[in-house]
Every structure is written in C-alpha cells, then in structure tokens.
Amino acid sequence: MTKHNILFIGLDTHKAFVEVAYIEDNCGAQPIHFGRISSAKIAIKKLIRKFESKYPHATLHFVYETGPCGYWIYRLITSLGHCCYVVAPSLIPKKPGERIKTDKRDALKLAKLLKSEDLTPIYVPEPEDEAIRDLSRAREVAMKDLKDAKYQLKALLLRNNINYTGTANWSFKHLRWLTEIVLPHPAQQIVLQEYLQTINERLARLKRLDNELEHHVKSWRYYPVVKAIQAMRGVRLLVAAGVIAELGDLTRFDHPRKLMSYLGLVPSEHSSGGKRNIGAITKCGNGRARRLLVEGAHSYRYQAVITTALQKRQEGLPKDIVDIAWQAQLRLCRRYQQLLHKGKHYNVAVTAIAREMIAYIWAISREVVLSPVNPKLRIARVPA
C-alpha cells in the first residue's frame, strides 16, 4: 500500500447522520465518497478507527461546517489526537454555476477544498467559554421576551384608549396604575391580568439570569479581561461579558484592524480600475458582539467625564489599563463630535465609535494577558 502523509476527510454533518468523503494527498487524487454513518459518538469513533487501520502512516485531517449541532465532533476528534477544522458556510468557495447541492457533493467538496487549502477555519471556544456564552445569550433572550410582553400589554391598552399620564413607564407608580385598570369586558380583564402575570414572571426570570451570570463570570478564566475592559465608558458587566464570551481570546488577532474586520465593522469596498466605491459596513462575523459594541458606543455622545459608577469599576485595576480607558474616552468623545460636524448621520457616527472601541478593548486585553505587574490579572494564553 502506498504511504500517504495526510488524509483529508470531509464531513457533512446533520442531526441524525454524517456524510463522509476523503481524498489522499498525492498529486492528481480525486475525492472518494466513503458513505453515510450515524451521528452518534460511537459511530464517529468507529469511522476514525477504520481510517487509522486503512492508512496507518497518514495524519488524519477532518473538516466540517458549523451548524446547530455545535462543536462536539471537533472536540471528540481532537481528543483522539487528530486534526479537525470547523469552517463557516459563508466562507466556503462556491462556483456561480453550481445548481445542484447534495450531502454527498458537500462532503466531497469539503475534502477537496481542505486539501487545496481554500478553507479558512474558525475559532472554536473551549467548553467553559461556550457555557458562559450560552448563559449570556439566555439573558439576552429573556430581555427580548420581557420587551415583547410589555409591547403586548401596551398594545391592549392602546386599543382601548387607555393612556398613562405619568412620566416613567414601568416604574413602581406605573405598575400600581396597571393593577387598578378595569377594562369594559370581563374577557379583556382576563387578558390584562395574564399580561401582567407574564411580565412579572419574565422580570423574575431576568433577575435570576442576571444573578447567575454575575456569579459564574467571576469564576471564569476570562474574568480578569471582563473586569479590565469595564474600565472603559459604555462597557458594563453585561456588555463586557457578552463581548468576551462571543469573541474569546482577543489576543489571537495580531492587529486590531483584523478584529474590526472580523466583527464586520469595516466599510465594504467595490473598487475596480481607477474607481473606488466605499459602502456600508460589511456586517460579517459575530452580529451579537457587534450589536453590544454599538450599544456601548452611544455613551460617547457626551463629553468625557469619570462618573462615580465608572470610578468604582476602575478601582483595583492597574494604572496602564485606566490610562488606556481614559485615552479612549477622550478620543472617542472628540471623534463623535467631529463626525457630526462633518454632517455624518448619527448611526454612522456611532458605528465608527464602536469600531474604534474594539481596538481599545483589544489593547486592554493584551495588557491583561501580558501584564507582569499584577498576577491576579493574568490568564493563560489560549491557542488560536
């Protein structure tokens, strides 16, 4: 049997089965369809043993697309000592004339593209990091559900021409006013009571998730980074934990421009010849992290100042990190006003501030990882 250095194996994963194809590393080799196997762990292990026995001198390289099934296949294969790559479907090259898509073709295509080095693997978080990310996302879903319940209640009142004359919605005074409302029909009164009960339940759910997130983040390995980036204006615990949970190790980017591009905060471009056309931001990468940064960027509309809450968040942090945060505030507040004076739209200015915010967050994360001054703020480097 011919000895091969590398065997490239493409996996088209689904809930119940996995389509498998492979290609050898010799010149002119064509991808071969292996077949369909179960998506159970025992079936994946059996598949690996077959390739190990058939190609005992080859290094096995697996690849599959990201999807709702998560990263357990990646972790299983790497735990067995083999290389595995996870790629985003949007980054897989596709010919414009391809009109047929099947599981078999996808597996063959993945194996072939892996051999030709035309695939860009994505960052796979550690199980602990993914758990914090799930908790952060669950908190966001709870907030969305609470807003939906409030909108439904306000719509019911609007249909019955009932308006609140106070100043602050959902304050204690407003909630007491809601309990005193009497609608003209008993059926509508039942609906009102159900809406109020739903809001109370979702408020309690949101509070529970807030408490759990604050508790678990403090024992997370990235908590030093989460605590450090809260020195910046507009970055509280929820934003800091959400951004780091979505992005993981920021120092795997050797330059902040790469991180900006990864988040889709850079302008799109379509230039040819002597013409250069700059468009809106690309919106690639992680949309949730991008949205959190844009939310935090709204705080730079006002003049630079160290508030009491911000000063409390900066207590105990090294001077280098506090200086970076103050430098960021001075620049970003000034930058926002400059963009408005140039006639830029409000949303464009806020997005530009968010793009520069992630650069300062990247700088702070590097100070935390590489700082020899405060051992409590050091974390272990994570391989890219």
Side-chain angles (χ1 to χ4, degrees), residues 289-320:
R290 181 171 62 250
R291 184 186 57 77
L292 290 172
L293 290 169
V294 172
E295 286 184 0
H298 285 272
S299 63
Y300 292 94
R301 294 175 296 170
Y302 311 103
Q303 63 180 358
V305 64
I306 300 295
T307 62
T308 303
L310 182 58
Q311 187 177 13
K312 289 181 179 179
R313 298 203 305 268
Q314 293 179 351
E315 290 178 355
L317 295 177
K319 184 178 182 299
D320 293 341

Side-chain angles (χ1 to χ4, degrees), residues 139-204:
R139 193 266 175 198
E140 182 179 8
V141 172
M143 175 60 83
K144 182 179 181 300
D145 292 342
L146 176 60
K147 288 183 178 179
D148 292 342
K150 290 180 177 179
Y151 291 152
Q152 292 169 1
L153 176 57
K154 293 176 72 174
L156 175 66
L157 299 180
L158 183 61
R159 291 195 300 269
N160 290 274
N161 194 27
I162 299 176
N163 298 316
Y164 178 60
T165 57
T167 56
N169 285 334
W170 310 114
S171 61
F172 289 111
K173 183 179 179 181
H174 181 225
L175 293 175
R176 287 194 299 269
W177 173 79
L178 289 173
T179 59
E180 299 171 356
I181 295 176
V182 178
L183 294 177
H185 198 279
Q188 290 179 321
Q189 191 69 30
I190 293 175
V191 174
L192 174 62
Q193 295 301 322
E194 289 292 333
Y195 282 161
L196 288 174
Q197 184 177 355
T198 300
I199 291 175
N200 292 331
E201 291 174 353
R202 293 183 178 179
L203 279 171

Side-chain angles (χ1 to χ4, degrees), residues 203-221:
L203 279 171
R205 173 191 173 196
L206 182 65
K207 186 176 181 180
R208 290 194 304 270
L209 287 172
D210 282 338
N211 293 334
E212 292 298 326
L213 182 62
E214 184 177 358
H215 170 71
H216 287 282
V217 164
K218 289 182 179 179
S219 59
W220 188 26
R221 60 171 181 160

Side-chain angles (χ1 to χ4, degrees), residues 308-373:
T308 303
L310 182 58
Q311 187 177 13
K312 289 181 179 179
R313 298 203 305 268
Q314 293 179 351
E315 290 178 355
L317 295 177
K319 184 178 182 299
D320 293 341
I321 293 177
V322 177
D323 290 343
I324 293 175
W326 177 243
Q327 179 185 359
Q329 186 173 173
L330 290 175
R331 172 175 170 77
L332 296 182
C333 292
R334 183 173 62 250
R335 177 68 173 161
Y336 177 82
Q337 297 299 329
Q338 290 174 349
L339 291 172
L340 289 188
H341 289 319
K342 289 182 179 179
K344 297 294 183 181
H345 191 271
Y346 168 78
N347 293 334
V348 175
V350 170
T351 304
I353 298 303
R355 179 170 58 248
E356 296 195 23
M357 273 183 65
I358 194 60
Y360 286 103
I361 291 175
W362 175 86
I364 291 176
S365 67
R366 285 182 60 87
E367 286 290 330
V368 174
V369 174
L370 304 177
S371 173
V373 178

Side-chain angles (χ1 to χ4, degrees), residues 123 221-229 244 247-253 317-318 320-321 324 360-384:
Y123 172 78
R221 60 171 181 160
Y222 282 126
Y223 179 66
V225 180
V226 173
K227 180 176 176 58
I229 65 176
I244 300 301
L247 301 180
D249 182 20
L250 299 185
T251 59
R252 72 181 191 270
F253 300 94
L317 295 177
D320 293 341
I321 293 177
I324 293 175
Y360 286 103
I361 291 175
W362 175 86
I364 291 176
S365 67
R366 285 182 60 87
E367 286 290 330
V368 174
V369 174
L370 304 177
S371 173
V373 178
N374 193 345
K376 295 182 179 180
L377 289 177
R378 298 187 66 184
I379 62 174
R381 290 297 304 272
V382 182

Side-chain angles (χ1 to χ4, degrees), residues 81-98:
H82 299 289
C83 298
C84 185
Y85 307 95
V86 186
V87 296
S90 59
L91 298 179
I92 298 177
K94 181 181 178 181
K95 297 178 181 178
E98 287 185 356

